[in-house]
Amino acid sequence: LALFLSDPNLQSALADGSLDLSSYSSTINSELATLERECIALHRQAAPDIRILREEMDVCDSILAGLHEMLLGFQADLSGLSGDIRQLQDQSRSLAVQVDNRRDAEEGLRLFLERIVVPPNLAHVICRGEVDELFLECVKDLEEKYAYVKMTEKNLDEPDCPDPGLVSSAGIPPASTVAGKEMVEHLSKLRLQAVDRTRAYFLKVMKQLRRPKTHVRMIQSHALLKYEYLVDFLLVASPTIHAEIRDVYVESMSKTLYTLFRTYHKQLLLLDMRLATRVDLIAVEEAALRDAFSTKVNMRKRGDAFVLGDRAKVLDGAITAETGGDAATALTSSPINAHLALMNGDKYSYEMIFRSIMSHLIDSATNEYIFARQFLKEYGQDDCWHSIFGKTLSLVLEQLENYLFNCHDAIAILLMIKLTHYYKRMVKARRIDKVMEPFLDRVTNLFWPRLKMVMDAH
């Protein structure tokens, strides 16, 4: 009402009295009726569309209701899935912890098993393989495994303890574990097999040392020193077998060297030219020079044993050593090759023969002294060397003494004394004077009495 009263047109009409309310009301009613009829007509025209729209809305309502129910189901399922996801996350974290623990346990167990378990190829090589570099490596691995499974708490303070912190055995000494106790027996059997194979190999090689024309140094270098670890293995695993191998080697080399020097001296004696006899004196009785069937003096019976000539060449190198040269390798000329000399019909004075024998003897003594220290590990002990060279040195002394018994060549004796003095310097330079100097002293003691006898005869 206040809205109509505020209409200026209505206010002006009411003020001047020109508005007829009854007519105005009838006009309004007629307009309303007209509008109502038009509205009803429009409604009738749109009734089919409205009915279709209503049906579509009913369909949409049913669809939306279905979607609502579906979403409610999804919501319920998602709430259940979130619980499953949380459960899976918890399980995943638990499994991750278990995996880490198992990985750590697997690493520790792997280290432990690697140290005690014997691979099939290792057992095959030790039991059936050839004794070569692979066999040597397998024996080293076997010894490491055996030392590990035998380790107890008493061994933890030892400097060569394989695992002082017991890291790979989880703080338990391997000898106290069930696996360690079981593997000790298997490793011991395999160790005995390795000892047997090693013994058979060394006996086979040392049998070759006794064969004629054997290259001893080649066998020592390529068949013995190459496997010197196996000797250390025998010393630890089976001292009895080690002693057997040592005795067999000593016996084999002793016989081999004795035979070589006996044969070599016998061949060299065929090359001796015998420059002086008992009648080769400064003043000799004529009776010693007469023929058995004549009273004339035969001067052809007397040789010229007082001419030095080229015989001093036997000292080539020895004098150089005395004046400051290398005493270990001073002699320049090589020893006599007996086979070639016999074929060519060469002849030598006995001091050359003596030098050849002594050169070979000292070279062999040096080689054997070094070899015994490297192969048999007898540092500071010379029993092995003396056992090998005892018979050979006695043989050389006996051969020299037998020759000197009928030797009347003063120059040869003096040259051999000079050579012996040089050889003393040589053995000292080679650091084998401890074993060779007593022998050289005995050689010198053979020369001086004989030289005195020869000089007395003159």
Side-chain angles (χ1 to χ4, degrees):
L1 183 59
L3 180 60
F4 285 107
L5 289 177
S6 62
D7 187 357
N9 295 325
L10 183 58
Q11 287 180 359
S12 61
L14 290 174
D16 57 12
S18 61
L19 179 59
D20 187 1
L21 293 177
S22 59
S23 60
Y24 185 73
S25 175
S26 60
T27 303
I28 292 299
N29 288 331
S30 61
E31 289 178 359
L32 288 173
T34 302
L35 291 173
E36 181 179 4
R37 285 193 297 273
E38 291 177 355
C39 183
I40 291 171
L42 290 172
H43 181 72
R44 286 177 178 176
Q45 291 177 0
D49 294 334
I50 293 173
R51 186 171 56 254
I52 293 172
L53 182 61
R54 178 60 183 271
E55 292 175 355
E56 291 178 353
M57 290 178 65
D58 292 340
V59 172
C60 289
D61 287 341
S62 62
I63 292 173
L64 291 175
L67 289 175
H68 179 66
E69 293 178 357
M70 185 182 298
L71 292 175
L72 291 176
F74 285 161
Q75 185 179 6
D77 293 339
L78 290 175
S79 61
L81 287 175
S82 62
D84 294 340
I85 291 173
R86 284 192 297 272
Q87 184 179 1
L88 289 175
Q89 290 176 345
D90 295 339
Q91 291 179 356
S92 177
R93 285 191 291 269
S94 176
L95 290 175
V97 173
Q98 292 179 10
V99 168
D100 292 338
N101 294 337
R102 289 184 179 182
R103 187 178 291 112
D104 295 338
E106 179 185 358
E107 182 66 18
L109 187 60
R110 182 183 64 81
L111 294 175
F112 179 70
L113 291 178
E114 283 181 354
R115 290 193 164 193
I116 67 170
V117 173
V118 178
N121 60 331
L122 186 145
H124 176 75
V125 169
I126 290 180
C127 294
R128 301 180 182 276
E130 296 291 334
V131 178
D132 51 13
E133 290 84 354
L134 181 58
F135 180 86
L136 184 64
E137 293 300 323
C138 289
V139 172
K140 290 180 180 179
D141 292 343
L142 177 64
E143 277 299 279
E144 291 178 0
K145 295 178 185 297
Y146 185 78
Y148 181 73
V149 298
K150 293 287 288 185
M151 188 174 65
T152 61
E153 293 181 353
K154 298 179 181 179
N155 307 123
L156 297 180
D157 298 331
E158 296 179 359
D160 56 347
C161 180
D163 189 8
L166 298 177
V167 177
S168 57
S169 57
I172 305 173
S176 302
T177 61
V178 177
K181 294 177 181 178
E182 180 181 352
M183 288 304 299
V184 165
E185 181 179 356
H186 298 293
L187 291 172
S188 298
K189 292 180 180 178
L190 197 58
R191 206 163 175 246
L192 291 176
Q193 184 68 25
V195 168
D196 183 66
R197 295 291 310 285
T198 302
R199 174 183 177 273
Y201 170 76
F202 280 134
L203 291 179
K204 179 182 177 181
V205 172
M206 291 171 188
K207 185 178 180 181
Q208 297 176 1
L209 292 174
R210 296 193 291 268
R211 294 178 180 176
K213 300 180 181 180
T214 299
H215 198 309
V216 175
R217 292 190 183 182
M218 185 71 71
I219 294 178
Q220 288 178 338
S221 175
H222 292 83
L224 294 178
L225 276 181
K226 189 176 182 180
Y227 303 105
E228 61 177 300
Y229 175 81
L230 296 179
V231 180
D232 300 337
F233 165 69
L234 289 179
L235 183 60
V236 176
S238 180
T240 305
I241 300 299
H242 178 271
E244 178 190 0
I245 296 300
R246 178 189 179 277
D247 294 342
V248 171
Y249 175 76
V250 168
E251 181 183 1
S252 300
M253 280 304 301
S254 177
K255 291 181 178 179
T256 298
L257 290 171
Y258 181 86
T259 303
L260 286 174
F261 279 94
R262 183 184 61 185
T263 304
Y264 187 57
H265 184 266
K266 184 177 179 181
Q267 292 174 339
L268 291 181
L269 283 181
L270 300 176
L271 307 176
D272 184 19
M273 61 177 58
R274 285 280 180 178
L275 293 174
T277 63
R278 63 184 179 84
V279 298
D280 291 314
L281 303 174
I282 294 176
V284 62
E285 296 181 0
E286 291 185 0
L289 297 176
R290 289 193 181 99
D291 290 331
F293 304 101
S294 174
T295 59
K296 295 182 179 180
V297 175
N298 185 3
M299 295 304 295
R300 289 180 299 177
K301 283 190 173 183
R302 180 173 178 174
D304 197 353
F306 305 102
V307 178
L308 183 61
D310 294 335
R311 297 177 68 179
K313 291 183 179 180
V314 73
L315 298 178
D316 288 350
I319 299 177
T320 304
E322 289 189 354
T323 57
D326 186 3
T329 57
L331 287 181
T332 55
S333 59
S334 59
I336 299 172
N337 188 321
H339 297 287
L340 291 178
L342 288 172
M343 290 176 59
N344 297 331
D346 298 333
K347 292 292 182 179
Y348 297 92
S349 58
Y350 190 77
E351 63 268 17
M352 291 293 295
I353 295 175
F354 174 77
R355 190 184 74 167
S356 296
I357 294 174
M358 294 300 294
S359 296
H360 278 305
L361 182 66
I362 292 177
D363 287 344
S364 299
T366 305
N367 176 74
E368 204 59 38
Y369 186 79
I370 296 173
F371 178 81
R373 292 168 69 91
Q374 292 180 349
F375 185 67
L376 298 175
K377 303 295 186 295
E378 293 189 351
Y379 298 103
Q381 302 178 18
D382 307 313
D383 294 340
C384 175
W385 188 92
H386 286 297
S387 300
I388 293 172
F389 264 88
K391 293 176 62 177
T392 302
L393 296 181
S394 299
L395 172 69
V396 173
L397 286 172
E398 180 183 355
Q399 292 170 340
L400 180 61
E401 186 175 10
N402 292 336
Y403 184 84
L404 290 176
F405 184 76
N406 291 316
C407 178
H408 304 276
D409 191 347
I411 293 179
I413 297 176
L414 286 171
L415 290 174
M416 289 189 287
I417 290 174
K418 188 68 176 178
L419 284 172
T420 305
H421 179 69
Y422 160 72
Y423 286 129
K424 286 185 178 181
R425 294 171 56 85
M426 176 186 285
V427 297
K428 189 173 183 179
R430 294 185 180 185
R431 298 181 180 180
I432 61 170
D433 52 314
K434 182 179 179 181
V435 293
M436 284 299 294
E437 194 165 4
F439 165 76
L440 294 174
D441 289 338
R442 294 179 64 184
V443 171
T444 304
N445 292 336
L446 291 177
F447 287 138
W448 285 110
R450 186 61 191 175
L451 178 63
K452 185 178 182 303
M453 291 181 63
V454 173
M455 297 304 294
D456 289 345
H458 285 295

